[in-house]
Amino acid sequence: MVCAVNAQQFSGKTQPVSQYELNFKTLATTWDEGIPLGNGMIGALVWQKGNNLRMSLDRADLWDIRPMKDLHLKEFSYKWVEEQVEKKEYDIVQKYFDDPYDNEPAPSKIPGGSLEFDIQNWGTVTSVKLSLKDAICEVKWDNGTILKTFVHATQPIGWFRFENLKEEFTPHLLMPKYQGEITNSGDPVGGDDLARLGYKQGKVTQEGNSISYEQEGWGGFKYQISLTWKKINNTTIEGVWSISSQDPNKEINPLASSIIKKALQRGYNTDLKSHTLWWAKFWNQSAIQIPDSLLEKQWYLEQYKFGSAARKGAPPISLQAVWTADNGRLPPWKGDYHHDLNTQLSYWPSYSSNHLEEAAGYIDHLEKNKANYKRYTKMYFGVDGLAVPGVTTLDGTEMGGWIQYSLSPTVSAWLGHHYYLQWRYSMDRKFLEQKAYPWIKDVAKFLEQITVKDEKGFRKLPISSSPETNDNDISAWFNQNSNYDLALMTFTFKAASELAEELGLKQEAIHWKQIQNEFPDYAISVNNEMMITPTLPYNNSHRHFSHLMAIHPLGLIKWEDGEKSQALIKNTIKLLDTIGPDYWCGYSYSWMANIKARAKDGEGAAKDLEIFAKAFCLKNSFHVNGDQTKSGYSKFQYRPFTLEGNFAFAAGLQEMLLQSYAGFIEIMPAVPVLWKNISYDKLRAEGAFIISASKENGLVKQVKIVAEQGGKTKLKIPFKNWIVDSKNSVKIKQLSEDFLELTFKKNGSLVLKNNPN
């Protein structure tokens, strides 16, 4: 090793976001293939319906939050369910707690409305383009007409601009059909007809160049869509739309009609400038370049959708976020908040992609609903502390469903992992004190009360489950801890102890550590594979890898722990691949890529990501759960759109490029051998370290580390020989042939460079 300093600075390559536009020769003719635009609060899908250009409009807080009918009976308790399981009388449990979700149309996310423009005389479409760089959709017709449209990055408005118009036209604002014949009911996957909600049909009113639609929902909830436009010259029209909502029990929001008036005064060009500035900042947060154009493009599309769906101050990403189905029906699975996988996977990529601000919307939502979660905890479990329903409305109220998961006792523990990650990746002390530790502590208090000791003195849940093993049958309950529940409980007490220690709360740290040590080991088969429970091996293809939580995402079983853990991880992955993907969904492939990346299997991770991108996404990049190619990647071949698979894909690729979960930073730990040239700028590692790195001709060339908060970390040295290319406020100590210890002052930086000589 040679250690020297020179003045050359690290410089990453220009990110390729500009080359990864969506380009089509025609407009989509179904809503779920439309061009997606959004800002976390409002969204639009651009497509063609009949002879009309259609923009399906949505807002994240358009919700019917009526209580789930007949759910809160006197029997609504974990203890009562435990008794029925013990008596093997489960039909009554399904009737009381599962059936309402299937049979009732609400509570549910609801759609907004749509804009239509008559384009039948414009000729054929010649191009449809979504520019990821500035989040603008452009459509061209062969008569020369051009549409440019965007949803503003930070304001609750959407703009459209038509250029080269050959004739006058009037936009139309259409309302969903909340009245009419009911042909679909009791179909939570396909969606019930909107008419089942029982709303009076809203009104559309027009005055000059302004149109408004007002709709009243359940319990006095109202929303308004307003549209206005003006003629710029003989061939150009600019228009703006907005959606506002109003809950009678909440602070008054500005009406859409007043929002659009102010926007029209500012003008299209003024708003376009502030919009593109936000997206420029977003794209400057991180960038990657890999020698696989399919995966690279998909990563940028996922980043784009994340930037369109996640925002601090807006509701978090639900199943479809701001792109609710525009088909006259309720969205798949009511468009709700599924916390048994869906919301969690949606935020996996936010941490290492350096988008903590957008991820904060998730945490803020959980904090906002904390009192409601504690009400549920007391009501259903009969104890204090914090449990969260696995399936909830916008305000965090339980909705029922398969209650092994929708009312699972460890949901709040998995959500606590996101609090933990937000702390570890930000090192924000205030966040640790005010949010992360209080949440995890409350979950630990709850789990301490609800667990019991078995005959060997180990802690266990009275009844346990593993999403979504055995669906909603009585056999989905286990009298031993599932590996899923065990991993989440172990993580909670481990994290509680760690964070209490960090805050100087030594007695609390000792207490949580004692509780952690009272849990048994994980269930492992005679073939050294992770099981679902001590008596149930993984022996059937299944979409949800809940039994592997200890490996990923929780990192309780690490490849870095040595040969024993490596053998367990390899055998477990081999078993999953051997049994096969018959009943995997798209998100299963994304999750498997994350797991394989943790096992340092770059080829395997890349293959699973490739299958996801090719087989489980529509042309606009939306994940639709089933194998659309019918190539044997899954027996699920349906197409309900949900987002978690998309975002888990991005996380999987990031795991291939950078890992820091094991207590040190590892550069490109799981990339295929054939990926000779790679670079990334400003990915984020635990400890609030910003990492840029490049590989050329198969060798890591240089690594740059910036310490946002200062502090100490370890780096697994990615070179045989290295030089210090530049450094600022950092101390370097070589711990071994493989590791450096780096101690930074705040905003200190270091550039290491390969020295092949």
Side-chain angles (χ1 to χ4, degrees):
M1 193 252 344
V2 177
C3 185
V5 178
N6 64 49
Q8 185 176 350
Q9 297 296 307
F10 178 90
S11 177
K13 296 178 181 177
T14 303
Q15 60 176 316
V17 61
S18 296
Q19 74 193 51
Y20 287 139
E21 302 170 337
L22 285 180
N23 278 292
F24 306 110
K25 292 183 179 178
T26 60
L27 283 161
T29 54
T30 61
W31 69 271
D32 57 4
E33 293 187 356
I35 298 293
L37 304 168
N39 66 9
M41 180 57 84
I42 65 168
L45 294 166
V46 182
W47 56 294
Q48 183 170 342
K49 186 173 184 180
N51 293 321
N52 297 306
L53 171 78
R54 189 173 176 101
M55 295 183 187
S56 305
L57 310 183
D58 194 15
R59 182 177 163 110
D61 62 1
L62 300 186
W63 260 85
D64 184 314
I65 58 170
R66 73 184 74 180
M68 183 62 77
K69 185 180 178 183
D70 296 331
L71 181 64
H72 296 108
L73 306 172
K74 69 180 189 307
E75 292 87 355
F76 186 76
S77 79
Y78 184 61
K79 180 67 176 173
W80 181 80
V81 174
E82 179 192 348
E83 291 169 355
Q84 306 317 303
V85 171
E86 188 175 334
K87 291 189 292 185
K88 294 184 169 36
E89 295 177 0
Y90 203 64
D91 288 352
I92 191 69
V93 178
Q94 294 170 323
K95 178 182 178 182
Y96 285 176
F97 300 153
D98 299 338
D99 289 359
Y101 186 91
D102 290 340
N103 297 328
E104 294 299 321
S108 176
K109 177 74 177 67
I110 58 175
S114 59
L115 297 181
E116 285 196 347
F117 307 87
D118 186 347
I119 57 172
Q120 62 181 324
N121 296 325
W122 296 6
T124 58
V125 170
T126 58
S127 72
V128 180
K129 180 177 77 173
L130 171 64
S131 168
L132 303 189
K133 179 173 173 286
D134 46 21
I136 297 174
C137 173
E138 181 181 272
V139 185
K140 293 182 179 180
W141 287 264
D142 63 5
N143 74 342
T145 301
I146 299 173
L147 163 68
K148 296 175 182 176
T149 182
F150 64 93
V151 168
H152 194 279
T154 60
Q155 300 293 323
I157 53 173
W159 276 99
F160 57 86
R161 177 183 170 96
F162 287 96
E163 301 172 354
N164 301 328
L165 285 167
K166 303 299 189 289
E167 57 186 29
E168 297 283 340
F169 78 99
T170 300
H172 298 280
L173 179 54
L174 304 180
M175 66 186 86
K177 291 184 178 179
Y178 289 117
Q179 291 285 316
E181 183 183 358
I182 296 172
T183 59
N184 296 287
S185 63
D187 183 5
V189 178
D192 287 359
D193 284 341
L194 293 175
R196 287 203 69 207
L197 296 173
Y199 298 169
K200 291 181 180 178
Q201 195 67 56
K203 283 189 191 177
V204 174
T205 57
Q206 182 167 355
E207 186 176 334
N209 284 3
S210 294
I211 309 175
S212 283
Y213 157 51
E214 294 189 3
Q215 178 66 55
E216 183 168 350
W218 180 85
F221 172 79
K222 296 179 181 179
Y223 70 90
Q224 182 189 70
I225 305 179
S226 288
L227 158 73
T228 189
W229 67 95
K230 66 179 179 181
K231 204 169 185 179
I232 304 302
N233 55 46
N234 288 336
T235 61
T236 304
I237 285 177
E238 292 177 358
V240 61
W241 59 268
S242 181
I243 309 179
S244 60
S245 66
Q246 191 57 57
D247 185 317
N249 301 312
K250 294 182 180 177
E251 184 179 339
I252 299 293
N253 289 325
L255 286 172
S257 53
S258 64
I259 292 170
I260 61 171
K261 287 178 183 176
K262 293 177 181 177
L264 199 65
Q265 290 172 358
R266 291 192 305 270
Y268 177 94
N269 289 328
T270 298
D271 276 359
L272 180 60
K273 286 178 184 177
S274 56
H275 168 77
T276 53
L277 280 173
W278 187 93
W279 278 98
K281 179 185 174 187
F282 177 86
W283 289 118
N284 192 47
Q285 291 295 108
S286 59
I288 70 166
Q289 285 191 308
I290 59 172
D292 186 316
S293 59
L294 173 69
L295 301 191
E296 185 175 280
K297 179 175 183 177
Q298 190 74 30
W299 185 83
Y300 277 98
L301 286 165
E302 309 309 9
Q303 296 301 304
Y304 167 78
K305 290 197 293 296
F306 189 79
S308 301
R311 203 67 94 251
K312 187 172 176 59
I317 299 167
S318 59
L319 291 177
Q320 293 88 24
V322 290
W323 301 300
T324 300
D326 181 13
N327 58 0
R329 301 171 73 172
L330 293 172
W333 297 285
K334 306 180 193 293
D336 57 32
Y337 292 97
H338 265 55
H339 297 310
D340 68 346
L341 176 148
N342 305 79
T343 59
Q344 290 94 331
L345 270 63
S346 291
Y347 285 90
W348 276 356
S350 60
Y351 307 105
S352 61
S353 69
N354 199 18
H355 289 298
L356 298 188
E357 183 177 342
E358 285 72 39
Y362 190 32
I363 302 293
D364 291 348
H365 170 81
L366 298 175
E367 289 289 301
K368 182 179 179 182
N369 293 331
K370 206 169 182 181
N372 199 13
Y373 301 145
K374 289 192 172 187
R375 170 207 55 81
Y376 156 76
T377 307
K378 194 74 173 176
M379 181 181 188
Y380 184 69
F381 293 101
V383 298
D384 297 322
L386 184 62
V388 174
V391 179
T392 83
T393 65
L394 178 67
D395 67 1
T397 301
E398 58 276 11
M399 295 172 62
W402 296 355
I403 66 164
Q404 297 89 338
Y405 329 115
S406 67
L407 303 179
S408 162
T410 54
V411 172
S412 55
W414 194 348
L415 297 173
H417 187 237
H418 283 271
Y419 278 81
Y420 180 78
L421 293 176
Q422 189 80 7
W423 150 244
R424 289 293 303 148
Y425 279 85
S426 70
M427 302 306 288
D428 181 336
R429 192 84 184 174
K430 184 177 178 182
F431 176 81
L432 169 64
E433 294 171 351
Q434 297 182 1
K435 294 183 180 179
Y437 182 59
W439 180 280
I440 291 172
K441 178 179 177 179
D442 276 346
V443 177
K445 287 166 64 176
F446 161 70
L447 292 173
E448 181 181 3
Q449 293 174 82
I450 200 175
T451 48
V452 297
K453 297 285 185 71
D454 67 12
E455 64 278 2
K456 294 180 180 179
F458 289 121
R459 280 190 181 265
K460 65 184 280 288
L461 290 168
I463 48 174
S464 179
S465 64
S466 188
E468 294 165 334
T469 300
N470 295 341
D471 294 341
N472 68 335
D473 189 75
I474 189 172
S475 63
W477 289 111
F478 310 110
N479 60 9
Q480 299 166 299
N481 289 327
S482 66
N483 273 343
Y484 169 81
D485 282 333
L486 178 58
L488 286 168
M489 291 188 291
T490 301
F491 160 76
T492 296
F493 290 104
K494 181 177 183 292
S497 178
E498 176 189 326
L499 300 189
E501 187 74 36
E502 179 71 28
L503 292 170
L505 304 171
K506 295 193 175 179
Q507 289 305 309
E508 291 186 26
I510 291 169
H511 177 71
W512 300 133
K513 186 68 175 176
Q514 288 173 338
I515 301 294
Q516 181 193 341
N517 292 335
E518 293 174 357
F519 286 94
D521 292 333
Y522 298 104
I524 298 172
S525 73
V526 293
N527 296 319
N528 197 25
E529 303 145 342
M530 294 292 284
M531 301 175 70
I532 296 170
T533 75
T535 56
L536 181 62
Y538 181 88
N539 54 18
N540 290 292
S541 179
H542 196 263
R543 59 195 173 274
H544 197 305
F545 305 138
S546 50
H547 64 303
L548 305 187
M549 291 287 292
I551 299 172
H552 182 276
L554 301 178
L556 299 172
I557 300 173
K558 302 181 181 69
W559 185 268
E560 292 79 1
D561 291 337
E563 291 183 6
K564 184 179 178 182
S565 292
Q566 290 172 16
L568 175 62
I569 293 169
K570 283 194 292 186
N571 291 345
T572 299
I573 292 173
K574 183 180 178 181
L575 177 64
L576 264 68
D577 280 338
T578 300
I579 288 177
D582 277 359
Y583 294 101
W584 291 13
C585 290
Y587 65 72
S588 311
Y589 282 93
S590 295
W591 193 350
M592 182 55 74
N594 281 269
I595 295 168
K596 288 180 178 177
R598 289 275 175 97
K600 318 305 177 186
D601 178 8
E603 278 76 15
K607 180 182 177 182
D608 286 334
L609 293 181
E610 178 185 352
I611 291 170
F612 172 84
K614 283 184 175 179
F616 291 86
C617 295
L618 301 179
K619 65 180 184 178
N620 64 349
S621 81
F622 278 176
H623 161 243
V624 286
N625 284 275
D627 174 10
Q628 302 304 296
T629 64
K630 298 178 174 56
S631 302
Y633 296 124
S634 175
K635 289 186 176 179
F636 289 120
Q637 295 178 353
Y638 58 178
R639 56 183 282 170
F641 154 52
T642 60
L643 282 160
E644 73 295 312
N646 289 121
F647 299 132
F649 171 99
L653 185 48
Q654 290 159 212
E655 284 283 340
M656 296 168 68
L657 300 176
L658 176 68
Q659 291 178 20
S660 59
Y661 77 104
F664 60 87
I665 295 167
E666 187 171 6
I667 306 299
M668 304 183 197
V671 297
V673 173
L674 294 178
W675 287 15
K676 303 294 185 182
N677 299 297
I678 305 169
S679 71
Y680 55 81
D681 289 339
K682 294 190 282 192
L683 295 185
R684 181 179 283 265
E686 289 193 24
F689 296 101
I690 310 301
I691 315 294
S692 302
S694 63
K695 174 184 273 194
E696 293 183 6
N697 300 319
L699 296 174
V700 176
K701 180 182 178 183
Q702 55 188 356
V703 177
K704 179 178 181 180
I705 304 174
V706 177
E708 191 174 76
Q709 300 285 2
K712 187 177 290 186
T713 190
K714 289 194 294 184
L715 172 70
K716 186 174 183 180
I717 305 169
F719 326 103
K720 288 184 179 179
N721 299 300
W722 52 275
I723 59 173
V724 177
D725 197 49
S726 67
K727 68 176 183 176
N728 173 42
S729 302
V730 58
K731 291 180 181 179
I732 305 171
K733 179 181 178 181
Q734 184 136 12
L735 298 175
S736 66
E737 186 177 326
D738 296 324
F739 286 95
L740 297 178
E741 181 182 84
L742 307 173
T743 306
F744 291 87
K745 292 184 178 178
K746 188 169 184 175
N747 295 319
S749 63
L750 172 68
V751 177
L752 297 177
K753 192 172 183 181
N754 194 355
N755 184 27
N757 299 321

